[in-house]
Each structure stands twice: as structure tokens, then as C-alpha cells.
Amino acid sequence: MTDSYGQSLLAPLFPILAQRLQLDYAQVGTLPLVMGLSASLGQPLFGVITDRWPRIPAVALGPALAAIFIGMVGRAGSFAELAMLLFLAGLGIGAYHPQGASLARDAARGRGLAMAAFTVGGNLGFGLAPILGALYFAWFGWERFHWAAAPGVLLGIAMLAGRGGRAWRAGEPADRPPDHGRGDPWALTLLTGTVVLRSSVQIAVVTFLAFLLQQRLPGSGMRAHGVAVTAFLLASALAGPTGGYFCDRFGRKRVMVASLATAPFLLQLGLLLPGYGIVLGLALGGYVLMLPHPANVIMAQEYLPRSAGVGASLITGLAWGLAQLLQRPLGELADHAGIALALQVVCWLPLLGIPMAWPLSDRAPKPLAPVREAP
């Protein structure tokens, strides 16, 4: 539910918003960046807060806040107003993820396939969002688009009232055994770098695919654009369980390197296919690209064991936000050289992640010996 209120909900509506508010490609490329500043780059801060004060119900408040501000997009009368609403919606999305990932880590107990149950939920929400955005617009238009907030608000209320606060207090530090892991900041830095490159591709395709289809298939409408973006994102979501199983069976590093080495070629093939074949090709590339994602979240928490929320936020937040920083220059490249060329350039980025993934180990850092108290 939370990720369904991300910028992918507006992806099929970007051409309409661009025409309505007189936006160019560079400004459209800025919109994911604006949401990323709060939803992604702010996640490490939210991770510190919820690690220290786990009773704050971020997993309930997050989706409600995201839904409210996305629902107000129809009231935006300028680029600045639209950007502010996306920034505020991003705060809700960013508040949810660190605490949610910490709870999921406790339930998964280090297993990649189990962690995929959490990550696939977010990816499904992100993937279904374009269809939901197109449906909300068809049902309500801009005048009543605020009704799009209803599912997220109702979920937040239900979580607050129905579980009596237990849903987010289950993973309080006081309830866990002490963790003496020493962590590995350098490995965490390399891991975050690979995720930045991978996320850059996914965000670029989500942001600009509707424009590319508009150019290549002039008769295609908003609903077709929404289905196309959703197909790409659902393929990425379905990669979670498969990738989690492969990582458990063959090792995380092997799956990461194979994904980074293979996905760019599949994505390039997709961009060359005619008609709606481009959607199938990109979906296959996105599937391979996202195979390591569930294991990457667990690895980040193992590399920073004393602050699991912060570790997860570097993958689900900081890396995503840094990837969004690339969308503005990508939009400027699209203005000057065309959407197709801009996407072809960005799809090669995962190859740069191979030397970052190579030094990583499948094993968590060894724990420190507990300190003995003096008699």
C-alpha cells in the first residue's frame, strides 16, 4: 500500500501533467528527484529515529501521510506546488520503510526467500501503482483526485486501531537478544553503490516509458501507458521470490554479479524491439535486474547489525534517492538527444556495479566477543 503511492502512480499521468502545467522533460525528470529527497534520502534519519524510539508507529502513519499528499496532486497549479506535494508524500513513504524492514528482518531470520515476502509486497505496490493512477484519473479526474487517498488513510487507521500498537512494537530492541556484530562499513558502501546503479535504471524506465510509447505508438493512450509501466514493475516484483531462492541456494554474490552483467543486454534488446515488444523486453530485463534485491536488504542489515533500520534504509532509501538524482540530467539528455537514446545510455549503468559487487562476501561479519564484566 505504501509503495503504491510512490511516483510510479503518477507515471502514466506525467504526459497529462506536463501538458497541463507546461513542463519540459527536464522538469518531469526532476519530479522523482523531489520525492526522492524525502522518501529516500531521508530514510537514514527515519531509521535512526525508529531504531531509538520504536514505539513511534511509523508503519501506520507512513501510508496515510503518503496517500493524503498524493491525493492533493489534482490541486497543484504549478510545477512548484506539484513538487512540494510530492516532497511531502515522500515523507510518509520514507517514514515507513526502515521500521517495516526491521520488522521483516526479524520475521525472515536472515533467509533471502523469506525477506522476499516483504520486498515483493513493496514492488507489487510500486508495480500496480501506474494502473491505479490511470484508474483513479478515469474515475475521479483532477477535481476529485483526492479520493485516491482513501485506501492509504483507511489502512493507517486500521493499523492504529486494530492492532493496538503491537504491529510495530514487536521488534523493540528491548525484546531482542544483544547483537555484538562489528559490522562492515566498506562492504555496506560498495553494496549501496551497486543498488544506486540498479535503481537508476528502474526509475528511468518508469519515468520515461510513457513518453517513449507516446512517440513510437502515437495511438496508444494513458491506460496503455499505465499497463506498460505496470508490466515492467510487476516483472521486477516477481523477481523477488526467485532471487531470494537463488541467493539462498547459489550465494548472494554470484546472483548479484550475474544480474548486473546480464540485465543491461536484455534491456538494450527490449529498447530495439518494435511495437509493444519493447514492454516485454524491458520487463525481462527488469526481472533479471531485481533478482538480488531481497538479499541486498538483509546484507545491508548484517553489515550494520547494531542499527538494522539504518542499514536497510541505505538500500531502500539512500540508494534509491541517489539514483533519483540522476533523473534530472537524464531528462536534459532526453530534451537534446531524445528519450530512446537517454534510456539506452542509462541501461548500461549496472555494468559499473560488477567491480563493486566482486569484493563482497556472502557471510555476515563475525560477531565481537562479549565484554566480560569485572567481578
Side-chain angles (χ1 to χ4, degrees), residues 18 31 34 37 44 90 96 137 154-155 179 198 242 329 360:
L31 295 176
V34 169
L37 289 174
Y96 165 82
F137 184 79
L154 291 175
L155 175 66
D179 191 342
R198 190 178 69 212
T242 308
L360 299 178

mmCIF file of all heavy atoms in Angstrom, residues 18 31 34 37 44 90 96 137 154-155 179 198 242 329 360:
data_model
loop_
_atom_site.group_PDB
_atom_site.id
_atom_site.type_symbol
_atom_site.label_atom_id
_atom_site.label_comp_id
_atom_site.label_asym_id
_atom_site.label_seq_id
_atom_site.Cartn_x
_atom_site.Cartn_y
_atom_site.Cartn_z
ATOM 1 N N ALA A 18 2.396 17.176 -17.727
ATOM 2 C CA ALA A 18 3.331 18.011 -18.479
ATOM 3 C C ALA A 18 2.586 18.992 -19.377
ATOM 4 O O ALA A 18 2.962 20.166 -19.485
ATOM 5 C CB ALA A 18 4.260 17.134 -19.316
ATOM 6 N N LEU A 31 10.809 15.494 -10.980
ATOM 7 C CA LEU A 31 9.751 15.072 -10.057
ATOM 8 C C LEU A 31 10.147 13.850 -9.230
ATOM 9 O O LEU A 31 9.948 13.848 -8.009
ATOM 10 C CB LEU A 31 8.457 14.820 -10.834
ATOM 11 C CG LEU A 31 7.849 16.066 -11.495
ATOM 12 C CD1 LEU A 31 6.618 15.689 -12.312
ATOM 13 C CD2 LEU A 31 7.496 17.118 -10.448
ATOM 14 N N VAL A 34 12.524 15.045 -6.546
ATOM 15 C CA VAL A 34 11.900 15.764 -5.436
ATOM 16 C C VAL A 34 11.330 14.783 -4.418
ATOM 17 O O VAL A 34 11.533 14.925 -3.205
ATOM 18 C CB VAL A 34 10.796 16.702 -5.971
ATOM 19 C CG1 VAL A 34 9.956 17.256 -4.836
ATOM 20 C CG2 VAL A 34 11.423 17.833 -6.774
ATOM 21 N N LEU A 37 14.116 13.060 -2.420
ATOM 22 C CA LEU A 37 14.786 13.809 -1.352
ATOM 23 C C LEU A 37 14.172 13.494 0.005
ATOM 24 O O LEU A 37 14.876 13.421 1.010
ATOM 25 C CB LEU A 37 14.697 15.313 -1.638
ATOM 26 C CG LEU A 37 15.553 15.820 -2.800
ATOM 27 C CD1 LEU A 37 15.259 17.296 -3.065
ATOM 28 C CD2 LEU A 37 17.033 15.619 -2.507
ATOM 29 N N PRO A 44 17.593 7.235 6.116
ATOM 30 C CA PRO A 44 18.543 7.001 7.213
ATOM 31 C C PRO A 44 18.169 7.745 8.498
ATOM 32 O O PRO A 44 18.316 7.219 9.599
ATOM 33 C CB PRO A 44 19.868 7.504 6.628
ATOM 34 C CG PRO A 44 19.725 7.293 5.161
ATOM 35 C CD PRO A 44 18.284 7.613 4.868
ATOM 36 N N GLY A 90 6.532 11.972 -0.052
ATOM 37 C CA GLY A 90 7.735 11.182 0.159
ATOM 38 C C GLY A 90 8.084 11.016 1.625
ATOM 39 O O GLY A 90 8.670 10.001 2.018
ATOM 40 N N TYR A 96 7.963 5.004 6.625
ATOM 41 C CA TYR A 96 7.528 3.610 6.762
ATOM 42 C C TYR A 96 8.662 2.600 6.630
ATOM 43 O O TYR A 96 8.749 1.635 7.392
ATOM 44 C CB TYR A 96 6.454 3.304 5.707
ATOM 45 C CG TYR A 96 6.204 1.832 5.519
ATOM 46 C CD1 TYR A 96 5.358 1.139 6.384
ATOM 47 C CD2 TYR A 96 6.850 1.112 4.519
ATOM 48 C CE1 TYR A 96 5.147 -0.213 6.236
ATOM 49 C CE2 TYR A 96 6.647 -0.244 4.371
ATOM 50 C CZ TYR A 96 5.792 -0.902 5.224
ATOM 51 O OH TYR A 96 5.597 -2.249 5.087
ATOM 52 N N PHE A 137 -7.623 8.424 -12.141
ATOM 53 C CA PHE A 137 -7.863 9.578 -13.005
ATOM 54 C C PHE A 137 -9.121 9.372 -13.844
ATOM 55 O O PHE A 137 -9.905 10.313 -14.046
ATOM 56 C CB PHE A 137 -6.658 9.814 -13.913
ATOM 57 C CG PHE A 137 -6.784 11.036 -14.779
ATOM 58 C CD1 PHE A 137 -6.543 12.292 -14.251
ATOM 59 C CD2 PHE A 137 -7.155 10.927 -16.104
ATOM 60 C CE1 PHE A 137 -6.668 13.434 -15.043
ATOM 61 C CE2 PHE A 137 -7.273 12.050 -16.910
ATOM 62 C CZ PHE A 137 -7.040 13.305 -16.372
ATOM 63 N N LEU A 154 -7.356 4.718 5.157
ATOM 64 C CA LEU A 154 -8.095 3.661 5.864
ATOM 65 C C LEU A 154 -7.154 2.608 6.419
ATOM 66 O O LEU A 154 -7.363 2.103 7.524
ATOM 67 C CB LEU A 154 -9.118 3.026 4.914
ATOM 68 C CG LEU A 154 -10.299 3.917 4.506
ATOM 69 C CD1 LEU A 154 -11.176 3.207 3.476
ATOM 70 C CD2 LEU A 154 -11.123 4.308 5.730
ATOM 71 N N LEU A 155 -6.111 2.265 5.666
ATOM 72 C CA LEU A 155 -5.139 1.294 6.170
ATOM 73 C C LEU A 155 -4.434 1.829 7.410
ATOM 74 O O LEU A 155 -4.257 1.102 8.400
ATOM 75 C CB LEU A 155 -4.114 0.963 5.095
ATOM 76 C CG LEU A 155 -2.981 0.052 5.564
ATOM 77 C CD1 LEU A 155 -3.508 -1.334 5.909
ATOM 78 C CD2 LEU A 155 -1.892 -0.051 4.514
ATOM 79 N N ASP A 179 23.091 -7.745 20.186
ATOM 80 C CA ASP A 179 23.813 -8.032 18.943
ATOM 81 C C ASP A 179 25.205 -7.416 19.042
ATOM 82 O O ASP A 179 25.344 -6.206 19.146
ATOM 83 C CB ASP A 179 23.052 -7.426 17.758
ATOM 84 C CG ASP A 179 23.585 -7.915 16.424
ATOM 85 O OD1 ASP A 179 24.719 -8.435 16.400
ATOM 86 O OD2 ASP A 179 22.867 -7.770 15.415
ATOM 87 N N ARG A 198 21.619 0.100 -10.061
ATOM 88 C CA ARG A 198 20.453 -0.699 -10.445
ATOM 89 C C ARG A 198 19.162 0.116 -10.368
ATOM 90 O O ARG A 198 18.315 0.064 -11.264
ATOM 91 C CB ARG A 198 20.362 -1.916 -9.515
ATOM 92 C CG ARG A 198 19.345 -2.953 -9.942
ATOM 93 C CD ARG A 198 19.363 -4.119 -8.989
ATOM 94 N NE ARG A 198 18.833 -3.750 -7.689
ATOM 95 C CZ ARG A 198 19.235 -4.273 -6.538
ATOM 96 N NH1 ARG A 198 20.194 -5.152 -6.523
ATOM 97 N NH2 ARG A 198 18.689 -3.887 -5.397
ATOM 98 N N THR A 242 12.106 -15.394 -6.641
ATOM 99 C CA THR A 242 13.089 -16.174 -7.388
ATOM 100 C C THR A 242 14.507 -15.805 -6.966
ATOM 101 O O THR A 242 15.357 -16.677 -6.736
ATOM 102 C CB THR A 242 12.920 -15.933 -8.899
ATOM 103 O OG1 THR A 242 11.566 -16.148 -9.270
ATOM 104 C CG2 THR A 242 13.813 -16.867 -9.696
ATOM 105 N N PRO A 329 19.626 15.101 -14.973
ATOM 106 C CA PRO A 329 20.485 15.127 -16.170
ATOM 107 C C PRO A 329 19.996 14.186 -17.262
ATOM 108 O O PRO A 329 20.199 14.461 -18.457
ATOM 109 C CB PRO A 329 21.863 14.710 -15.636
ATOM 110 C CG PRO A 329 21.617 14.088 -14.318
ATOM 111 C CD PRO A 329 20.394 14.728 -13.774
ATOM 112 N N LEU A 360 32.519 -8.309 -2.316
ATOM 113 C CA LEU A 360 31.580 -8.611 -1.247
ATOM 114 C C LEU A 360 31.597 -10.089 -0.898
ATOM 115 O O LEU A 360 31.866 -10.948 -1.736
ATOM 116 C CB LEU A 360 30.162 -8.189 -1.640
ATOM 117 C CG LEU A 360 29.961 -6.706 -1.932
ATOM 118 C CD1 LEU A 360 28.522 -6.430 -2.350
ATOM 119 C CD2 LEU A 360 30.321 -5.861 -0.713
#
